[in-house]
Amino acid sequence: RYAIWDDTDIQRSGRFDWMLDQAQSYQSYAQWAAQQRMLFLYRDQRYQPASDQSFAQHDQTMAARPHDWEQHLAGIFPEIRLKSFLELRSADAGCGQMVVALNALWAGLLYDQESLTLADELTQDWSSASWQQLATTAATHGLSGVSDYGSLKELAAAVLSLAEDGLERRAQLNDQGQDERLYLAPLHMLVHLGVSQAELLLQRFGEDAEAAFQFVAKDLWEFPW
């Protein structure tokens, strides 16, 4: 999937130096987004070509409408993008428990100030070039990879620990008195094994692509590994 996105209109998708090398604000993101080429215009209930104009050029010549901006924001795909919410695009889903695990991971990191501060400190000295290398290594080698910041397995374990601590401090309990850390169980399993779901799929089905396809096409809730 990374290979596809990294070959898809790289002016509007992927990882960009400004994500690490510049101070970020809503204004700076909007300025960057406005310079990106528009995909289309929606007029009279029909999609029309946007003549390869950026949103800023379109706004100068045709007085853009509010829904033009909303549609434009939905058609650019940086690794982190702002719409009416913050979208973090790296992870694919998997089964139902993995979807919830991803939400729990980000909740533990972003909704607890101590974990957020520690995560910021962890990445404080990262550079855009090393981040690019880390992303490529992760997509190619998974948790067995090594980046400029060390073993990806160790880095994943550190991030998971921060998220777990954040969820413990949030102390959002279910009817059984369990907090949200229970949702991280699939991630703990993958980090413990040091493998990705793709690697587990290959171990299980080998070259039998049809069997693998049938397996992942199921409406799975429970983590199957």
Side-chain angles (χ1 to χ4, degrees):
R1 186 175 189 272
Y2 245 76
I4 294 171
W5 275 109
D6 281 351
D7 197 34
T8 302
D9 198 350
I10 58 174
Q11 298 300 313
R12 68 192 305 109
S13 64
R15 299 162 301 281
F16 297 92
D17 291 351
W18 53 259
M19 293 180 175
L20 286 181
D21 297 344
Q22 301 174 21
Q24 295 304 302
S25 67
Y26 289 108
Q27 182 180 21
S28 63
Y29 183 83
Q31 290 171 339
W32 173 81
Q35 298 305 315
Q36 303 309 307
R37 180 176 59 86
M38 296 183 71
L39 294 179
F40 53 78
L41 293 172
Y42 190 69
R43 295 289 187 270
D44 301 321
Q45 298 184 324
R46 296 182 61 184
Y47 291 101
Q48 303 174 8
S51 302
D52 286 333
Q53 288 186 317
S54 69
F55 182 86
Q57 291 171 321
H58 165 65
D59 190 35
Q60 290 174 354
T61 58
M62 298 183 62
R65 306 173 187 180
H67 73 262
D68 291 337
W69 179 240
E70 294 172 5
Q71 289 179 345
H72 179 61
L73 289 179
I76 54 177
F77 310 100
E79 196 80 352
I80 303 165
R81 69 172 172 170
L82 288 171
K83 296 192 288 185
S84 58
F85 52 85
L86 178 66
E87 181 180 359
L88 304 156
R89 296 178 48 82
S90 293
D92 278 335
C95 67
Q97 287 182 333
M98 281 295 288
V99 174
V100 176
L102 177 62
N103 287 315
L105 178 76
W106 283 119
L109 292 173
L110 299 181
Y111 295 165
D112 175 77
Q113 187 57 55
E114 184 174 342
S115 286
L116 182 59
T117 299
L118 291 172
D120 184 51
E121 292 175 357
L122 178 67
T123 59
Q124 191 69 46
D125 297 326
W126 285 21
S127 69
S128 56
S130 292
W131 181 41
Q132 292 278 10
Q133 184 265 339
L134 184 154
T136 301
T137 299
T140 306
H141 301 290
L143 293 176
S144 65
V146 177
S147 73
D148 291 345
Y149 309 112
S151 159
L152 294 193
K153 180 179 178 179
E154 293 178 0
L155 180 59
V159 171
L160 187 55
S161 178
L162 290 178
E164 188 170 40
D165 291 345
L167 294 177
E168 182 178 15
R169 284 187 290 268
R170 271 169 55 85
Q172 300 293 310
L173 306 180
N174 63 17
D175 293 340
Q176 288 74 48
Q178 301 167 299
D179 64 40
E180 297 162 304
R181 287 177 293 172
L182 70 94
Y183 300 123
L184 296 175
L187 302 183
H188 280 292
M189 177 63 72
L190 292 175
V191 171
H192 172 72
L193 295 174
V195 296
S196 66
Q197 293 184 94
E199 290 169 294
L200 292 172
L201 200 65
L202 286 170
Q203 289 176 17
R204 183 164 181 172
F205 296 104
E207 298 297 323
D208 192 345
E210 181 60 28
F213 175 78
Q214 293 298 326
F215 179 75
V216 298
K218 295 177 182 177
D219 186 17
L220 292 175
W221 169 256
E222 292 185 356
F223 187 61
W225 310 112

